[in-house]
């Protein structure tokens, strides 16, 4: 059993910034990939950013240049620095950890007003 807990969501105006954090705990034997997914209202959950244990990154085209993912393997944490936020960034952001299977956090709400 693995648990992921996200924090840092909130309500911001367009152009503002937020920093999301996620901490993993439980039966973690190794770290493969951790990442963030966005689920916008009425849309499927989609990858925003991910980082391997070695530091490789993958970003959705829509957030390149605006969002930065980082991680601390020793603390089993991952962060998402979100800048120049747009209304389209609104949604529930879920932390993801790949350890044998996919594990998900409960999500944290991000709302960006026009």
């Amino acid at each position: 059993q693995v648990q992921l807990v996200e924090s840092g969501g909130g309500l911001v105006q367009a152009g503002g910034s937020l920093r999301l954090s996620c901490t993993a705990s439980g039966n973690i034997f190794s770290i493969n990939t951790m990442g963030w997914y966005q689920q916008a209202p009425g849309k499927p959950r989609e990858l925003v950013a991910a980082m391997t244990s070695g530091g490789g990154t993958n970003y959705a085209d829509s957030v390149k240049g605006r969002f930065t993912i980082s991680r601390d393997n020793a603390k089993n944490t991952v962060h998402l620095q979100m800048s120049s936020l747009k209304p389209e960034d609104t949604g529930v952001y879920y932390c993801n950890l790949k350890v044998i299977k996919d594990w998900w956090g409960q999500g944290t709400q991000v709302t960006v007003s026009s």
Side-chain angles (χ1 to χ4, degrees):
Q1 182 72 20
V2 174
Q3 293 212 340
L4 304 173
V5 179
E6 304 104 328
S7 64
L11 173 63
V12 298
Q13 293 183 330
S17 299
L18 286 172
R19 181 176 172 84
L20 307 184
S21 299
C22 172
T23 299
S25 62
N27 299 326
I28 303 172
F29 301 98
S30 63
I31 298 296
N32 185 10
T33 298
M34 296 187 74
W36 292 93
Y37 289 71
Q38 176 199 21
Q39 186 159 26
K43 297 182 179 180
R45 191 177 301 183
E46 295 185 342
L47 175 70
V48 174
M51 179 176 281
T52 67
S53 60
T57 59
N58 184 32
Y59 293 94
D61 289 341
S62 61
V63 307
K64 289 180 179 177
R66 299 190 298 119
F67 292 6
T68 302
I69 188 170
S70 62
R71 66 188 295 172
D72 184 338
N73 289 338
K75 298 180 179 179
N76 291 327
T77 60
V78 63
H79 306 279
L80 185 67
Q81 179 65 49
M82 310 165 70
S83 301
S84 301
L85 284 162
K86 304 175 180 180
E88 308 91 85
D89 298 320
T90 293
V92 179
Y93 283 73
Y94 294 90
C95 181
N96 170 264
L97 168 65
K98 297 185 183 299
V99 178
I100 301 178
K101 57 164 283 186
D102 282 287
W103 299 90
W104 299 92
Q106 82 288 350
T108 184
Q109 177 70 44
V110 171
T111 303
V112 184
S113 62
S114 302

